[in-house]
Each structure stands twice: as C-alpha cells, then as structure tokens.
C-alpha cells in the first residue's frame, strides 16, 4: 500500500466534505438572497452618539 | 404680480426636504419637531415613534429614507378573520407563527434595519428578516401576544404598508427550484478534481512513478466523472430526447450526443488502456454550459411578470349582512345580491350597482385614466376601480369570476403554455448544424473503415466529441444574459432572455393610449373664461387646499403659490364640488351642475368650474398629458416600424393625437379589452410580429396575445399586468434604443456563431485526420469558451455604449 492512496483518499474526502457543506448551504436557502446579508452585517455597530452626527448633517444642509 | 414673485422666491429660498421622507416642504405646512423639519404630521409621528424607541439610527444609514404613512383604518379588518389569516401564514403553532409580507417601499439599508428591529417596537415579535431583492419581510411572532393585524398596522404606521392581495390567498409556501445550482456545484466539483488528477497525464513522461499509478488515477477520474455525467448533464439528455420525439433538431442533440460519445469512448479508452480518455473535457464542458445557463437566468424577483387580476384584488371585503352587521369575507365567497361596503382607497372586486353615497372611482389600474369617474347611486360600477372619498354601499351583480374584467382571463391566451411559442436562434442554427455534423462523422467513418477499423471508430467518436457545440451553445446565453443586465440597469426589465430575440424581430408596434402614451401622473390644465384677479386666484387656491379630491389636488399644484388665508364654512359635497368663505367671498368650485351652469354637458372633457360670489367665471379643463419625448420617439420608430394606437376611450382626442403622431399612424378608438386582443390577433394572422405596449389591466389580453407585451409602469413594484417586459414609465422615450440594442445583440450572436464554427472546423481537422489527443481537446474546449464569452461580452457592452 503506497502512501499515495492514503493522501489521495484524504484529499478526496476533504473535497467531498466541502461539497456537502455547499449543498447544505444551498438547501438552507443561504443563496436565495445574496444582497441583504451584506447590508445586515454592517448594522451591528450601532452609532451611539447620534446627536452630534445629526447636528453636523443639519449644518451641511 | 409682486405677490407671485415673492411666492416663487420664497419657494426657492427654502427648498427644504423633509427629514423623514425627503419630499420638498411647503413652507406654510412645515412642522418643526426636535430641531428637524417635517413635511407633514405623518412623517413627524413616525420620527417620534422611532426616537421614543431608541431607533434613531434609522436616519443614519440613508438620508430621508421614510415614506409618509397613509390612513388605513378599516382596510385590514379582514385580518380578524381566522380562515384568512391561516391562508397567509407560512407556519402556525400555539406560540409561534411566521408570516411573509411583501412591502413595496423597501428600498435602502435603513429599511432593512428598521424592519429587522421590529421586535423593539412591538412586544410579541421575536424576529424579522428582510429579503431585499424580493422586497419581503418574514416575521416570526407569538400569536398569543400580538395579532397579525396589529403587526400590519404597526408596519403601516411607520410607513411600510404591506401589500396583501388575492395572490397571497392561494399560494402557500413557494417552492424554489434550486436544481441548477446543485447541478452546477456537482459539475464544478467533478471538473476541478478531475483536472487536478489528470495533470500527470498531460505531461506524458515515462516515469516509473506515473506508470505505476496510472490505472488508479484513471479509474478514480472515471468514478468522479459519474455524478457530472449522470446528474449535472441530465437536462441535455431529456431535452435532446424531447426534441427528437417532436421531430425538431435543437442544439441539445449534438450536445447530448457529444457528451455520451465522449463518456463511452473515454471509458473504453481506460478499460483497454488505449489512453487517458476525455473526462477532463467532458466535465469542463458540462460545467461551462451550465454556467451559461445560470448566467442567462437573470430574475428580477421583486417584479412579477405573471400578474393577473389576483394581484390587484383585495383578499377580503366588508359585507353588510341583512341584520346590518358588518363582516369581512374572502372575495371568492361574495355572491350575487350581497351588499358590500367599500371604504376610501379600497378596490371594488366585483361588478355591482351603487346603492348609497356618491362614488368617485379611480380606474387607473384598469384603463390608465388618471381622473376618477363620478357615479351616482343606481349606476353600474365595474370591478377593478378604486373608491376615493367616502364609504359607499354596493350590491353585487356578478361574482368575482364572472365580472366584466375577470372574464377576460377565461380567454385561451391565458391558458396557453407559453414555453414553446417560437424557436430560438440557436435552434435555428442547429437545424443545419446537426445534420451536417452527422454527415461528416459518418462519411469519415466510411472512409477510414476501409483503412483501419480501430482508427475509424476513433475518428468517428473524435468528430462527435470535438464538434460538440459548446461554444455555439454558450454564445446566446452569455450575450442575452449580458444584454438583460444592461437593460435592467436602465429600468427595462425583461422576463427572460428569449424576449430579446423577439424584440429584434418586431415590425409592428401597437400602443395603448391612456396611461401608456399619456401619463396619469400629470394633466395639462387650461383655463377658459373671464380672467381672474390675482386676489381671486389666491382665494381659489386656498379653498382647494382643504379638499382631497384628486382634481382639487391637481389644480392646487397647477395654480401659482400665494399667501395662505383662512377658510370659513368649508363644505365638500361628494360628486359635486367644494364651497367656502374666504376673505368675505363665497367661492364655489365644482361640476357644471354645482355652479348652476347648465349649458354644455360635454362628456368629452373633464373640467372644474369656478364661481365667486354668485358670478360664474369659467372652467379649468384637464387634458391628458402626453409623455415627454413622445413625438420624437414616434418619429424615429416610424422609420422602421408600423405604429398603431389603440384606445379604450372615445375619439375626443383624435385631432390632438393626429397632430402629435407621424402621418399614417393608425388610430383605433372605443376598444374593449377583448377587442384589443382580437386586433392583435388579426395583425398576427397577417404575418406581423407585434409588440404591444400597454399599462392597465384592460390591456392584459392584448399583452398576452402579442409576440411581445411590454407593460409601462409608474411604479414597478406594484402594478403591472402579465407581460414579457416591464418598462419604468420615465424611461419610455428610450424604447427605440432598447429595440436597436436587441437587434445588435442578435448581430453579436451571429458573429460569435461564426467564430465558434471556425473553432469547430479547426477541431474537426484534427479529428478527421485521426490526430485528436485528449490534450488537444482539453485545450480547444476552454479556449473556444473563453474567446466566445469575452467576445460577446465586449461586443454587447460596446453596442450598449455606442447606441446611446
């Protein structure tokens, strides 16, 4: 038994694992909406000192 | 005059936009709250709700993202009805329920943010998730704590009124077809791994290491190719089988043949140790072709091209029972003889007779006509109109399915499966390509069989492999996909790629008049009568301020700005007019009858009469406003196309139209929906390729019958009948550009066909002489694909730029 059989089977196994992950991701609907998540991830850092930002905006107006 | 100038100047000076919705603020109506300026109370209230709940972030992501909330009291009373709710919900249990609501206003990141923070506004909502491309929000809530009606009212109160129509009533959960994504994934997996594993074979060095493991690599490749061959490519086998059965030679036959031959020959090759096989090319081919298919599918999921009356009609309506109790009933349950209550802004779902109240009905969804029609009790009213003003009572004459408008949908055009309406350009080519290919394959086989049997089989299979029209099949999808995206960016949304081909073939264009070549946003207003003093004009304008009637609003916007005055004794008499005291003067504005002017009863025009202190002054006449750039568009179109204009209206504007439109344009008036459909059908029978441009529900039949139906829409999110393409109304004058671009797209495809045929000839010369090595196939295939894809992309982008 050569080491190449082992290596190739490991590499195929890893590839298949990723492939299965892809299928699961598609099935769960992750690829149905490819826009909203890109916006959503930016919301986590809510801007706390709102007052100041708004007043500067007013001045610009 | 000085007042006018002042008025105008002041308007220029404070062009302020509302902090919430971004509309211009009229100085006199400005509301200042929390140091911010608002255009109306509605906007201010939304701001208050947000700032009270610590949701001020809403205004940080986007400037002025909001919409003014509308008054909707009573509109959603049907959401108390359990059976209707259960139809709307996606999922329901004791403590959890999920509902997906479509909200047309969703347009920016602020919208996403506020809608995903609904749980902070309302107890009982546990989560909400926005799907931006679909413009829907999916809300998970606890039905014990909050009702769906409360949620809908909450959404409406913050300016995000959901859109619930009869469509939602029938469709439960949608099944999304993701098979193409899976197939593409599988094909890419196989392609990538096989490529890696075939690498040693590409450099055929006689080395001990390689020779020992050759069988192992080859059989491993064989195994990996199986999913791609059996699963990913199965669409081609099915399509080829179908086309053979129907006697039509489409492009999928040589593709399927190529794939199968490639697979069988490669298997034999490795089984008898003749060579390494073509598994790399095989999977690559499948992958690239699926990629082309994927690229061609460009969907505008927030639009629907299949809308029928169901998307317009409400789910439920208020029925008045014999014991005068009111009840919400699903519209399908309405029967002849029922009495219905129609509130302000509600759609009339069935034909009937007006019983009480005086109705002002807006038929703009049906006809495109902007100005509401006044009906008195006893008049017949048709389904599809929208009541504006007070509550009305009506008695049902026909049930939903038998109403005047909905009957149109029983016509055959709507039943027909539109899938195979015409052959596409690729199939046209393959009608010649396939027989020639088979001819070459067999004649070379016959030639070689006398020399060497094994070479003969090799040559035969090589020809089928190398001629597999991968590049040919990719040409159209990539060109069309690209043009589809270019058009989409310019607000012209096509249903699918086939529409481009149809656009290029059009020779006759039929336009609907009202709402299509005229706009229902604006009317041109002219005055006939004794001229007013400035003072009078301002008084009239002030009186109009108080009225909500569409004609009053239009006239109000038309009259020049002036100072604001107090109105006393204001009275609005529905269906007649308004009156009131301003500055000690009694002003009456309304219909001819209302101002006691009974001379002409001109039904051809819409007008508003003015009377001040008992003296009749004159009338304002509302004319249809034609779209901008209409005459220049028609002038250009006239050079290459036959133009016809169809109208459901009377011929009152015939002379005006004659002046605007170029000579020889056919004008047809007084057309009912079915007659429009027949008109198109007749043209088609004369051998014309007809494009219909329409807007309202009454054009739906004609749009479906025509070779290509384009629906013009002022607001693409909400209303447009079933069609092949939706064009945003303010891009109307670009129509000629779109037609030209589609022609150029077809030219690009033809040029690219030439290139791919050239590749085929090169490949064939290898194959016929019996010299096709797997490596050559592995080079030609991706090379041709890449050149074709880049060629069509560059060409279509070039044309899109140059034509503009």
């Amino acid at each position: 038994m050569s080491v190449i059989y082992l290596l190739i089977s490991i590499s195929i196994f890893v590839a298949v694992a990723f492939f299965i992950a892809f299928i699961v991701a598609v099935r769960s609907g992750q690829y149905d909406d490819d826009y909203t998540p890109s916006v959503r991830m930016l919301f986590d850092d809510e801007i706390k000192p709102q007052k100041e930002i708004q007043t500067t905006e007013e001045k610009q107006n | 005059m000085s007042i006018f100038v002042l008025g105008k100047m002041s308007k220029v000076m404070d062009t302020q936009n509302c902090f919430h919705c971004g509309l211009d603020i009229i100085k006199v109506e400005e509301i200042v709250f929390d140091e911010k300026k608002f255009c109306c109370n509605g906007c201010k209230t939304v701001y208050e709700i947000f700032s009270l709940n610590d949701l001020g972030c809403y205004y940080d992501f986007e400037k002025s993202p909001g919409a003014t909330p509308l008054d909707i009291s009573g509109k959603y009373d049907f959401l108390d009805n359990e059976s209707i709710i259960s139809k709307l919900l996606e999922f329901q249990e004791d403590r959890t329920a999920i509902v997906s609501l479509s909200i047309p206003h969703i347009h920016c990141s602020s919208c996403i943010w506020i809608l995903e923070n609904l749980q902070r506004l309302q107890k009982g909502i546990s989560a909400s998730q926005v799907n931006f491309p679909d413009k829907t929000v999916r809300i998970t809530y606890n039905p014990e704590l909050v009702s769906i009606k409360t949620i809908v009212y909450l959404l409406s109160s913050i300016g995000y009124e959901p859109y619930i129509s009869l469509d939602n009533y029938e469709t439960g959960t949608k099944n999304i077809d993701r098979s193409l994504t899976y197939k593409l994934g599988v094909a890419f997996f196989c392609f990538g791994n096989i490529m890696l594993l075939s690498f040693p074979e590409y450099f055929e060095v006689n080395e001990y290491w390689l020779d020992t493991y050759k069988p192992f690599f080859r059989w491993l490749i064989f195994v990996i190719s199986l999913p791609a061959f059996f699963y990913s490519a199965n669409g081609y086998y099915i399509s080829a089988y179908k086309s053979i059965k129907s006697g039509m030679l489409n492009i999928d036959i040589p593709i399927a043949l190529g794939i199968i031959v490639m697979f069988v020959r490669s298997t034999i090759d490795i089984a008898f140790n003749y060579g390494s096989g073509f598994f790399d090319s095989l999977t690559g081919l499948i992958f690239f072709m699926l990629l082309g298919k994927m690229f061609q599918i460009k969907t505008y999921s927030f639009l629907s091209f299949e809308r029928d009356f169901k998307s317009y009609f409400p789910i439920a309506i208020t029925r008045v029972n014999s014991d005068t109790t009111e009840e919400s009933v699903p519209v399908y349950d309405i029967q002849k003889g029922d009495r219905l209550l129609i509130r302000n802004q509600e759609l009339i779902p069935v034909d009937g007779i007006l019983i009480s109240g005086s109705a002002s009905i807006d038929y703009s969804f049906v006809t495109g006509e902007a100005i509401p029609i006044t009906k008195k009790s006893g008049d017949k009213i048709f389904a599809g109109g929208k009541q504006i003003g007070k509550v009305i009572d009506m008695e049902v004459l026909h049930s939903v399915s038998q109403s005047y408008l909905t009957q149109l949908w029983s016509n055959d055009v709507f039943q027909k499966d539109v899938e195979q309406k015409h052959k596409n350009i690729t199939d046209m080519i393959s009608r010649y390509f396939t027989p020639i290919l088979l001819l070459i394959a067999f004649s070379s086989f016959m030639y070689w069989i006398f020399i060497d049997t094994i070479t003969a089989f090799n040559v035969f299979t090589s020809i089928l492999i190398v001629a597999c029209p991968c590049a040919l099949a990719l040409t159209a999808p990539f060109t069309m996909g690209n043009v589809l995206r270019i058009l989409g960016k310019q607000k012209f949304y096509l249903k699918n790629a086939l529409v481009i081909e149809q656009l290029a073939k059009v020779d006759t264009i039929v336009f609907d008049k009202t709402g299509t070549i005229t706009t229902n946003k604006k009317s041109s207003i002219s005055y006939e009568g004794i001229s007013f003093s400035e003072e009078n004009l301002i008084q009239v304008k002030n009186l109009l301020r108080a009225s909500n009637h569409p004609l009053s609003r239009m006239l109000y916007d038309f009259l020049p700005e002036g100072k604001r005055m107090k109105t006393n004794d204001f009275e609005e008499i529905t269906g007649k007019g308004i009156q009131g005291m301003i500055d000690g003067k009694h002003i009456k504005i309304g219909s001819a009858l209302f101002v006691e002017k009974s001379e002409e009863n001109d039904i051809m025009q819409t007008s508003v009469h003015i009377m001040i202190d008992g003296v009749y002054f004159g009338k304002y006449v509302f004319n249809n406003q034609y779209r901008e750039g209409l005459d220049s568009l028609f002038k250009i179109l006239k050079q290459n196309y036959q133009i016809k204009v169809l109208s459901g209206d009377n011929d009152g504007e015939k002379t005006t139209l004659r002046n605007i439109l170029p000579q020889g344009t056919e004008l047809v008036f007084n057309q009912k929906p079915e007659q429009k459909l027949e008109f198109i059908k007749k043209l088609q029978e004369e051998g014309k390729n007809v494009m219909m441009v329409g807007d309202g529900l009454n054009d739906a039949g004609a749009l479906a019958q025509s070779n290509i139906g384009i629906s013009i829409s002022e607001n693409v999110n909400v209303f447009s009948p079933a069609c092949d393409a939706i064009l945003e109304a303010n891009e109307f004058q670009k129509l000629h550009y779109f037609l030209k671009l589609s022609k150029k797209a077809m030219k690009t495809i033809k040029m690219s066909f030439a290139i791919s045929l050239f590749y085929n000839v090169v490949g064939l010369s290898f194959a016929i002489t019996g010299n096709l090595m797997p490596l050559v196939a592995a080079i030609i295939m991706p090379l041709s694909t890449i050149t074709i894809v880049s060629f069509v992309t560059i060409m279509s982008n070039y044309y899109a730029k140059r034509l503009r």
Side-chain angles (χ1 to χ4, degrees):
Chain A
M1 218 15 200
S2 165
V3 71
I4 196 151
Y5 295 116
L6 181 71
L7 284 177
I8 294 275
S9 30
I10 290 175
S11 81
I12 295 289
F13 175 77
V14 171
V16 168
F18 275 105
F19 178 68
I20 290 169
F22 168 75
I23 297 291
V24 170
V26 174
R27 183 151 297 186
S28 68
Q30 281 186 36
Y31 288 85
D32 293 351
D33 178 3
D34 52 7
Y35 178 79
T36 328
S38 71
V39 180
R40 190 178 295 134
M41 62 178 245
L42 299 173
F43 290 150
D44 289 338
D45 337 292
E46 279 179 23
I47 313 145
K48 276 288 159 217
Q50 281 173 42
K51 274 270 145 67
E52 250 161 60
I53 290 165
Q54 275 166 12
T55 41
T56 47
E57 244 178 43
E58 291 262 294
K59 271 174 201 158
Q60 281 166 7
N61 288 344
Chain B
M1 204 58 212
S2 61
I3 299 170
F4 276 110
V5 176
L6 262 179
K8 267 197 186 133
M9 269 178 62
S10 69
K11 204 183 173 191
V12 174
M13 273 161 64
D14 3 79
T15 333
Q16 290 262 9
N17 295 349
C18 175
F19 184 69
H20 176 71
C21 70
L23 291 177
D24 287 348
I25 301 174
I26 302 162
K27 191 70 192 159
V28 285
E29 289 174 3
E30 183 185 84
I31 294 165
V32 180
F33 177 79
D34 204 10
E35 294 173 10
K36 289 167 187 79
K37 298 186 168 88
F38 297 95
C39 67
C40 61
N41 246 321
C43 290
K44 191 202 90 181
T45 319
V46 181
Y47 174 78
E48 265 186 289
I49 295 174
F50 289 162
S51 46
L52 271 178
N53 289 286
D54 225 4
L55 291 169
C57 269
Y58 179 62
Y59 298 100
D60 296 340
F61 300 112
E62 198 87 19
K63 227 173 154 193
S64 319
T68 314
L70 299 169
D71 178 30
I72 51 149
S73 55
K75 191 170 166 187
Y76 292 103
D77 280 350
F78 61 84
L79 290 177
D80 288 330
N81 188 324
E82 279 299 325
S83 66
I84 293 174
I85 294 178
S86 65
K87 295 258 186 191
L88 290 174
L89 293 180
E90 256 177 40
F91 173 83
Q92 193 175 19
E93 242 181 26
D94 286 351
R95 284 164 175 237
T96 336
I98 300 177
V99 65
S100 274
L101 295 169
S102 153
I103 300 179
H105 182 64
I106 294 179
H107 72 287
C108 67
S109 24
S110 280
C111 305
I112 301 174
W113 185 78
I114 195 71
L115 291 172
E116 299 204 334
N117 277 297
L118 281 180
Q119 72 275 16
R120 284 160 69 174
L121 283 173
Q122 175 70 51
K123 233 176 98 186
I125 296 179
S126 52
S128 52
Q129 200 174 27
V130 174
N131 183 330
F132 190 82
D134 280 351
K135 298 194 193 249
T136 54
V137 60
R138 195 160 176 265
I139 301 172
T140 315
Y141 67 99
N142 184 343
E144 285 171 6
L145 292 174
V146 63
S147 74
I148 182 162
K149 190 176 163 189
T150 321
I151 295 175
V152 168
Y153 276 99
L154 168 75
L155 287 170
S156 307
S157 74
I158 58 171
Y160 289 95
E161 190 181 336
Y163 180 61
I164 304 173
S165 70
L166 206 52
D167 242 3
N168 305 61
Y169 192 72
E170 283 177 338
T171 50
T173 40
K174 278 178 278 176
N175 275 324
I176 313 159
D177 185 23
R178 301 196 186 100
S179 61
L180 188 58
T181 320
Y182 293 139
K183 282 180 182 172
L184 197 66
V186 170
F188 186 62
F189 171 81
C190 301
F191 171 54
N193 284 298
I194 289 174
M195 266 308 194
L196 284 176
L197 292 171
S198 348
F199 238 75
E201 296 266 11
Y202 289 158
F203 316 99
E204 267 193 86
V205 219
N206 287 326
E207 210 186 316
Y208 163 77
W209 178 254
L210 278 176
D211 284 340
T212 322
Y213 295 107
K214 230 178 208 171
F216 169 64
F217 274 90
R218 285 180 178 176
W219 285 111
L220 190 62
I221 287 172
F222 170 76
V223 172
I224 295 177
S225 76
L226 292 176
F229 177 71
F230 285 106
Y231 175 66
S232 297
N234 66 8
Y236 294 101
Y237 313 140
I238 295 166
S239 161
Y241 172 72
K242 272 188 189 157
S243 87
I244 291 172
K245 229 173 86 179
S246 64
M248 238 171 57
L249 294 174
N250 71 6
I251 195 77
D252 289 338
I253 297 175
I255 291 174
L257 204 63
I259 293 173
I260 293 170
V261 167
M262 217 185 251
F263 182 76
V264 173
R265 162 140 180 217
S266 307
T267 314
I268 294 171
D269 272 2
I270 61 166
F272 298 99
N273 207 14
Y274 292 148
S276 58
F278 298 88
F279 288 115
D280 47 350
S281 305
L282 168 72
T283 44
L285 185 97
I286 297 172
F287 171 67
F288 282 120
M289 284 196 302
L290 289 174
L291 201 64
K293 256 192 187 170
M294 192 74 153
F295 191 75
Q296 191 179 19
I297 301 172
K298 164 75 185 167
T299 48
Y300 303 99
S301 40
F302 65 99
L303 295 175
S304 168
F305 294 96
E306 313 297 339
R307 285 191 177 124
D308 56 12
F309 65 92
K310 289 192 200 104
S311 325
Y312 297 72
F313 280 24
I315 281 195
I317 201 86
T318 317
R319 181 171 68 191
V320 186
N321 293 331
S322 46
D323 52 354
T324 69
T325 52
E326 288 173 18
E327 182 192 10
S328 275
V329 287
V331 287
Y332 283 122
D333 294 353
I334 298 171
Q335 273 153 15
K336 195 182 163 194
D338 281 356
R339 275 187 73 157
L340 304 178
L341 204 69
I342 313 283
R343 294 193 179 82
N344 185 18
Q345 298 290 328
E346 262 183 352
L347 208 77
I348 299 162
V350 290
D351 296 349
I353 287 175
L354 191 62
I355 294 180
S356 74
S358 149
S360 165
I361 298 170
D362 170 8
Y363 278 109
S364 59
F365 304 143
V366 183
T367 60
E369 179 59 70
I371 296 154
I373 296 162
T374 311
K375 297 271 184 186
K376 291 189 293 288
S377 66
D379 282 354
K380 204 172 168 192
I381 45 181
F382 293 105
K386 197 175 179 188
Q387 160 67 2
I388 292 169
K390 290 196 185 119
V391 175
I392 54 167
D393 253 334
M394 65 176 279
E395 190 178 308
V396 179
L397 278 184
H398 304 288
S399 64
V400 174
S401 56
Q402 265 146 24
S403 285
Y404 171 69
L405 190 68
T406 45
Q407 262 184 343
L408 185 64
W409 268 267
S410 54
N411 193 297
D412 288 342
V413 247
F414 292 100
Q415 318 302 331
K416 200 159 55 182
D417 198 6
V418 277
E419 193 67 46
Q420 271 297 328
K421 218 155 72 171
H422 42 258
K423 275 200 202 109
N424 62 35
I425 183 162
T426 320
D427 287 343
M428 297 272 274
I429 292 276
S430 70
R431 250 175 53 205
Y432 304 100
F433 183 84
T434 315
I436 292 174
L437 173 67
L438 290 175
L439 193 74
I440 295 176
F442 278 109
S443 43
S444 334
F445 179 72
M446 294 312 280
Y447 170 76
W448 278 101
I449 202 149
F450 298 109
I451 303 165
D452 179 21
T453 324
I454 293 180
T455 321
F457 274 105
N458 270 346
V459 166
F460 180 68
T461 48
S462 303
I463 289 173
L464 291 179
I465 290 168
V466 87
C468 183
C470 170
L472 203 65
L474 282 177
T475 296
F478 274 97
T479 317
M480 306 276 200
N482 200 29
V483 173
L484 219 60
R485 282 171 177 77
I486 292 170
L487 293 177
K489 268 189 210 133
Q490 310 201 25
K491 316 278 171 63
F492 185 41
Y493 309 101
L494 303 185
K495 186 158 108 183
N496 56 40
L498 284 179
V499 177
I500 299 173
E501 266 177 57
Q502 288 300 299
L503 265 179
K505 278 188 208 151
V506 164
D507 53 23
T508 308
I509 308 177
V510 180
F511 287 92
D512 171 55
K513 186 179 80 73
T514 325
T516 305
I517 58 176
T518 70
T519 166
N520 56 21
K521 279 250 173 93
K522 269 190 283 177
S523 277
S524 66
I525 301 171
S526 57
Y527 178 70
E528 291 167 21
I530 320 162
S531 57
F532 289 114
S533 67
E534 277 161 34
E535 218 175 308
N536 285 341
L537 216 51
I538 291 161
Q539 287 159 356
V540 167
K541 180 155 175 131
N542 271 297
L543 184 67
L544 288 167
R545 260 196 69 247
S547 165
N548 250 333
H549 193 277
L551 286 181
S552 311
R553 305 306 313 171
M554 271 192 258
L555 190 55
Y556 178 80
D557 291 336
F558 171 73
L559 293 176
E561 284 289 326
K563 72 169 189 275
R564 207 166 155 189
M565 282 184 272
K566 202 166 176 284
T567 313
N568 293 319
D569 306 325
F570 177 80
E571 196 183 359
E572 182 155 8
I573 303 145
T574 317
K576 286 186 175 165
I578 51 174
Q579 58 181 346
M581 298 288 289
I582 290 180
D583 238 3
K585 289 204 168 131
H586 182 241
I587 302 172
K588 281 175 103 171
I589 306 170
S591 65
L593 214 66
F594 183 62
V595 295
E596 292 137 26
K597 178 105 174 110
S598 55
E599 29 111 48
E600 89 263 57
N601 195 4
D602 201 348
I603 41 159
M604 297 280 198
Q605 55 178 212
T606 315
S607 53
V608 163
H609 301 257
I610 314 267
M611 192 156 131
I612 300 174
D613 267 347
V615 183
Y616 179 77
F617 272 74
K619 61 182 177 187
Y620 281 98
V621 181
F622 293 77
N623 285 315
N624 279 320
Q625 167 97 32
Y626 291 95
R627 284 193 195 283
E628 265 172 55
L630 182 75
D631 42 350
S632 56
L633 173 73
F634 271 53
K635 223 170 262 163
I636 302 174
L637 285 178
K638 187 74 205 164
Q639 294 164 9
N640 300 312
Y641 302 96
Q642 268 194 49
I643 303 179
K644 295 170 196 300
V645 175
L646 275 184
S647 174
D649 297 348
N650 54 45
D651 54 3
E653 289 192 37
K654 199 171 182 171
T655 39
T656 335
L657 267 173
R658 279 254 176 271
N659 290 334
I660 299 175
L661 304 180
Q663 289 279 312
T665 311
E666 192 183 342
L667 300 173
V668 189
F669 290 96
N670 294 317
Q671 294 288 299
K672 289 202 181 82
E674 303 85 48
Q675 286 173 314
K676 287 187 179 178
L677 197 159
E678 286 303 321
F679 185 83
I680 305 277
K681 214 183 219 168
K682 226 178 73 201
L683 284 174
Q684 284 173 329
E685 275 159 15
E686 288 166 20
K688 303 252 164 61
N689 274 311
V690 188
M691 170 165 112
M692 169 83 197
V693 188
D695 71 311
L697 270 180
N698 62 347
D699 298 325
L703 288 173
Q705 174 66 41
S706 59
N707 300 57
I708 169 163
I710 297 181
S711 140
I712 300 272
S713 179
E714 303 277 359
N715 179 358
V716 286
N717 295 324
V718 191
F719 288 115
S720 53
C723 56
D724 299 308
I726 298 175
L727 173 62
E728 211 161 82
N730 39 16
E731 307 291 322
F732 179 68
Q733 70 277 15
K734 280 198 191 156
L735 203 60
H736 184 243
Y737 164 71
F738 297 143
L739 285 165
K740 264 201 314 206
L741 185 59
S742 65
K743 283 206 165 130
K744 290 293 180 195
M746 298 317 282
K747 199 175 155 194
T748 309
I749 290 177
K750 281 173 193 156
M751 287 194 282
S752 150
F753 276 163
I755 298 177
S756 69
L757 283 176
F758 167 74
Y759 274 113
N760 266 321
V761 171
V762 172
L764 280 174
S765 63
F766 277 103
I768 295 174
T769 50
N771 288 321
L772 185 74
M773 295 292 120
L775 188 60
V776 175
I779 290 171
I780 286 189
M781 200 267 310
L783 191 69
S784 63
T785 307
I786 290 164
T787 24
I788 290 295
V789 169
S790 27
F791 173 77
V792 296
T793 315
I794 291 168
M795 279 315 271
S796 46
N797 281 336
Y798 165 74
Y799 280 131
K801 279 228 172 68
R802 204 196 64 179
L803 289 176
R804 199 178 299 170

